Amino acid sequence: MTALRGFAEKKGLKVLEPAEAADQNAFAVTKTFATANNLSKLSDLKRYKGKLILGGPPECPTRPFCQPGLERTYGLSFSSFVSLDAGGPLTKTALKTGKVQLGLVFSSDGSLAQL
């Protein structure tokens, strides 16, 4: 920040304090799916009786904080996994079209409200 501020001042700009927000992996369902299944938090998916398909990056089935973590921490059981991108347009489209019910996204993605 010191270097950035020094550079910005030379250009007549002011650099503000950075936000405390952090971009982290998160998991999302669509609003429609959440409403239809009375879901308000990730752990609510444990009681979901339908076919639960997870979508995310190719390494998700083996990453401790992806599929194995969801199964271990929340007791979720997936009928299958669909290899997509990490929180990008493929994952969002798969969620919107019902190809997957749960997708790996990024917590600071402003477009998540449109799911």
Side-chain angles (χ1 to χ4, degrees), residues 5-115:
R5 285 190 173 111
F7 177 76
E9 285 175 11
K10 292 176 187 174
K11 301 289 184 183
L13 302 172
K14 181 176 181 175
V15 176
L16 302 175
E17 289 300 315
E20 292 182 26
D23 188 24
Q24 299 179 355
N25 288 352
F27 295 93
V29 298
T30 63
K31 288 179 189 177
T32 302
F33 183 81
T35 301
N37 294 286
N38 196 30
L39 307 174
S40 62
K41 55 189 180 291
L42 189 56
S43 59
D44 290 343
L45 277 171
K46 184 175 181 179
R47 66 174 186 262
Y48 178 67
K49 300 296 182 201
K51 197 165 135 180
L52 188 59
I53 302 171
L54 174 63
E59 67 275 10
C60 186
T62 58
R63 284 190 57 219
F65 295 111
C66 203
Q67 186 173 344
L70 292 168
E71 293 170 344
R72 185 177 50 259
T73 304
Y74 298 101
L76 301 183
S77 179
F78 298 100
S79 59
S80 62
F81 171 78
V82 176
S83 180
L84 302 163
D85 52 10
L90 297 177
T91 299
K92 292 174 195 167
T93 298
L95 283 164
K96 288 178 186 176
T97 61
K99 185 175 181 179
V100 301
Q101 287 70 49
L102 182 65
L104 185 137
V105 296
F106 296 113
S107 62
S108 64
D109 185 343
S111 70
L112 292 179
Q114 298 170 6
L115 290 176

